[in-house]
Amino acid sequence: VLLTICVDYFDPPNLGKRLDIPSIWPEEFITTLRKKGITSDSVTISYSVKGGYLALEYKFLGDDLSDLLKDPKGSHSVVTKIREHRRSGHVYRSKGMVLEAANEFQKGLELSPNDAALHYGLALVYDQWGKANEASIEFNRAKAIDATYENSESYDADYYLQKRMYDQALPFYEQVLKNKPNRPKDLLGAGICFSKQGKSEEAVKYYQILSEKYPNFYLVHFNLAVVYSELEQWEKAEMDYRRTVALNPYFGKAYQNLGNLYASRNEKDKAIAALEKAVKNNPCFKGIQNNLGSLYASVGEYDKANRAFKNAVRIDPQYAVGYNNLGKVYLIQEKREDALRAFQ
């Protein structure tokens, strides 16, 4: 039995807010496992910082989990004290009690001077306190011990992007790109932020740079197509959707959008072909089934429409739109009792 723990479990996906303190600490988590009688032969821990799923300052939660699983009784008193100082420091920091927070991190460093997480926490406190020089020293110490902290701006950008806090994410991406202008992840992130802010033309600039440097990156062509659609540049949108599915023929969302684009231009045969591929790649998406059913009905393929709408309501038995469309098809087929049940 393998237990896999992703540390972003401790950072709930609440939108619009950076994690103050974890909703549950590792000790509580381990206690819960013990109470439930959950055991395993081995454990893996995903620190979840890369990609922005967990705030960088809480990377140490992975270390805490590892220590607790290795020593559940807490027989190593020094390790326990370091963990307590680190935690208290972040609790005080979250409350704006900078003096108390700094004291806790410093006490922890007296016991473990090479703890990168303690240096990073202390740096955050000094930054909050307005002590820029002290903050810079502690940031550099954290980076020297653990190279993960060298990419703090990139990790912060990804974190805010995951939280859909696009205004906060964008300055971090721009800062990273000043020093490393060709990083594909950050070019993509900046483009997404501009797109989500409604600044489509700015988003296009970043996506185009990325597509020129990495022409086979299918997701860039998809994002470009979405932005071109927002700008009502339909031919460019179609071209990039087609590039997307050529590079990744299993990307159902691209087929869906391409089908909707064709449908908006009344090119029904093309729209049906695209949505059929979308359904093949993602048969459990009710919206695609419903749109495909509507297209079938519009060209007189009522049996196919019937099956598509049935699939939609089978996926989601609460899908009122699907039942309504199914009822309409039954009426056309003169199946009045079936239509009545669908409408009811």
Side-chain angles (χ1 to χ4, degrees), residues 91-110:
V91 171
Y92 283 130
R93 181 181 64 83
S94 71
K95 297 179 181 298
M97 301 169 67
V98 291
L99 179 59
E100 292 83 352
N103 286 337
E104 291 293 337
F105 287 125
Q106 287 165 346
K107 288 178 182 177
L109 286 168
E110 289 174 5

Side-chain angles (χ1 to χ4, degrees), residues 187-188 190-193 195 202-212 220 223-224 227:
L187 285 167
L188 181 64
I192 292 171
C193 289
S195 178
E202 292 293 328
V204 167
K205 291 179 183 177
Y206 281 90
Y207 291 149
Q208 284 178 335
I209 293 171
L210 193 51
S211 67
E212 289 170 4
V220 177
N223 287 5
L224 264 173
V227 175

Side-chain angles (χ1 to χ4, degrees), residues 11-220:
D11 188 355
N14 298 323
L15 303 183
K17 182 180 179 182
R18 191 181 182 102
L19 180 68
D20 289 329
I21 55 173
S23 58
I24 180 174
W25 292 98
E27 286 89 341
E28 299 170 81
F29 177 73
I30 299 299
T31 299
T32 300
L33 292 182
R34 188 178 296 114
K35 285 181 178 179
K36 291 181 176 291
I38 296 174
T39 60
S40 67
D41 299 295
S42 57
V43 180
T44 65
I45 297 173
S46 171
Y47 279 64
S48 305
V49 172
K50 188 173 184 180
Y53 299 98
L54 179 73
L56 182 58
E57 58 266 29
Y58 286 112
K59 175 177 178 285
F60 70 85
L61 292 175
D63 296 327
D64 285 359
L65 279 168
S66 178
D67 291 337
L68 287 163
L69 288 165
K70 292 174 182 175
D71 180 28
K73 295 182 180 179
S75 56
H76 300 302
S77 59
V78 174
V79 173
T80 302
K81 287 180 180 179
I82 293 168
R83 190 162 58 241
E84 290 173 352
H85 287 309
R86 193 163 49 203
R87 177 183 304 180
S88 297
H90 282 289
V91 171
Y92 283 130
R93 181 181 64 83
S94 71
K95 297 179 181 298
M97 301 169 67
V98 291
L99 179 59
E100 292 83 352
N103 286 337
E104 291 293 337
F105 287 125
Q106 287 165 346
K107 288 178 182 177
L109 286 168
E110 289 174 5
L111 297 171
S112 180
N114 291 321
D115 187 314
L118 286 168
H119 285 292
Y120 192 74
L122 184 56
L124 292 175
V125 172
Y126 282 140
D127 190 56
Q128 187 179 1
W129 204 342
K131 297 187 174 185
N133 291 335
E134 290 87 343
S136 178
I137 291 170
E138 294 301 326
F139 278 132
N140 288 331
R141 285 173 176 167
K143 294 175 187 178
I145 297 167
D146 184 346
T148 302
Y149 295 98
E150 291 180 3
N151 300 312
S152 59
E153 292 89 355
S154 183
Y155 290 141
D156 279 339
D158 291 343
Y159 181 82
Y160 285 123
L161 182 67
Q162 290 290 345
K163 293 285 187 179
R164 303 182 189 178
M165 300 168 67
Y166 305 113
D167 290 344
Q168 290 87 341
L170 184 57
F172 284 107
Y173 281 125
E174 291 179 323
Q175 181 63 38
V176 171
L177 290 169
K178 282 182 181 179
N179 301 318
K180 299 177 181 178
N182 296 325
R183 281 173 61 102
K185 179 180 68 64
D186 298 292
L187 285 167
L188 181 64
I192 292 171
C193 289
F194 277 121
S195 178
K196 294 297 185 180
Q197 290 175 332
K199 300 175 182 178
S200 300
E201 293 180 356
E202 292 293 328
V204 167
K205 291 179 183 177
Y206 281 90
Y207 291 149
Q208 284 178 335
I209 293 171
L210 193 51
S211 67
E212 289 170 4
K213 295 182 179 297
Y214 305 93
N216 294 327
F217 187 14
Y218 75 93
L219 194 57
V220 177

Side-chain angles (χ1 to χ4, degrees), residues 234-235 238 242 258-275 295 298-299:
W234 306 116
E235 291 184 3
E238 179 186 358
R242 291 173 68 87
L258 185 59
N260 293 340
L261 188 153
Y262 286 140
S264 70
R265 299 196 309 211
N266 207 33
E267 298 178 35
K268 294 181 180 179
D269 289 343
K270 288 184 177 181
I272 288 173
L275 290 183
L295 281 167
S298 72
V299 296

